[in-house]
Amino acid sequence: MRRGLLTMMGVGLLALAVASVAAAQQEVPTDDQVNAIAKQLYCPVCENVPLDVCPTQACQQWRDTIREKLGAGWTEAQIQQYFVDQYGARVLATPPATGLNWLVYLLPPLAFAGGAYLLLRAVRAWRSPGTASAPPVSPAASDDLYVEQLERELRERT
Amino acid sequence: MVEKPPDPAEAEQPAARPRRWGVILVWALLLGLLAVLGLGLVRTQQGPVGIGATVPDFSLTTFAGETVDIRDLRGQVVVVNFWASWCKPCEQEAAELEQAYQLYKDQGVAFLGVDYVDTDREAMAYLEKFGITYPNGPDLGTRISQAFRIRGVPETYLIGPDGRLVVIKIGPYQSLDEIVRQIETARAAGSAGG
């Protein structure tokens, strides 16, 4: 009876130890986890350098903050929102689709569609040279026809 | 009776009209885009707020949780110092700024420290390291630094009692004397302005 109780306590303690080790391992995020979020952020001090590869002390501090928040169980979205609240939306690699930012999302597809339309028209014109690509009738040519008809009619009258 | 052949230009007119509108639309879009880009470029190229200009209104929530509104400080000279814990040149002037604050805190001169793009823990450690006691807080959303159009840290702006900018200091102060001289300049400008 006593031995059974001791065994149960031992197993319980072992389970607790394993669980606490697992929890401790979970609390220390890896560099990859930190960088997965960091590469979506840009520090305003180091323009055009993503946070995951930026070597400055400011960016190192930001990465430490990400690690800290991940360790505290924050989600990726929560961490991104924290950085936006602290430093503004310009820290995001992908700007939110609001205000003038819409241009970033609208212009490239519009330009692509416009280019495709122009290309299609050009291809059509090349394929049917008799219509679109035929040189326009010059005023001189049309005058010639007119003069020719006039002379013919004059000849017929005389 | 001779009939003149139809003018090709006249024949093409109805078809050309939609095309012309399309060209106008494309040009309008392009010009609009260029205008937006140009405005953005002008904004990024603008320097700090000019001397003599009224400084933008802002409020700073300090690390202690208090909110300081610049409008409540009208009538005083205000020293606004932008800094960061990762900024080595900021360390050169940190102690001197605190000394200046101790000299002037009862003489109608307010000090505000604006912590630029920083992390709270390191910022608090910095304040403790240099024994800084005047109000300091993070520049949330970088709104204050954008309003002043700062180029980096440290930068210090001295605002006269009338809310106009009197002195700009780019880079760190070299000595307490330099800070004192600039504060006196701001006070004198305030007196001269009435």
Side-chain angles (χ1 to χ4, degrees), chain A residues 22-31 33-34 67 70-71:
Chain A
Q25 279 177 343
Q26 219 174 18
E27 279 171 10
V28 184
T30 63
D31 285 348
Q33 286 174 311
V34 171
R67 193 183 304 277
L70 277 174

Side-chain angles (χ1 to χ4, degrees), chain B residues 34-50:
Chain B
L34 281 175
V36 169
L37 289 176
L39 279 174
L41 198 64
V42 166
R43 278 183 63 184
T44 53
Q45 294 297 314
Q46 271 180 332
V49 175

Side-chain angles (χ1 to χ4, degrees), chain A residues 97-120:
Chain A
T98 53
L100 281 178
N101 288 349
W102 271 108
L103 288 175
V104 175
Y105 295 95
L106 281 178
L107 284 179
L110 276 178
F112 183 80
Y117 171 71
L118 289 176
L119 188 67
L120 191 70

Side-chain angles (χ1 to χ4, degrees), chain A residues 62-130:
Chain A
W62 279 32
R63 286 195 292 272
D64 290 345
T65 303
I66 294 173
R67 193 183 304 277
E68 195 179 289
K69 302 289 182 200
L70 277 174
W74 287 35
T75 64
E76 188 177 316
Q78 284 175 320
I79 294 172
Q80 279 194 358
Q81 190 55 50
Y82 169 81
F83 277 92
V84 169
D85 293 342
Q86 287 286 314
Y87 311 111
R90 63 179 173 155
V91 302
L92 295 173
T94 312
T98 53
L100 281 178
N101 288 349
W102 271 108
L103 288 175
V104 175
Y105 295 95
L106 281 178
L107 284 179
L110 276 178
F112 183 80
Y117 171 71
L118 289 176
L119 188 67
L120 191 70
R121 279 192 56 161
V123 169
R124 275 186 184 165
W126 292 332
R127 280 186 175 174
S128 53

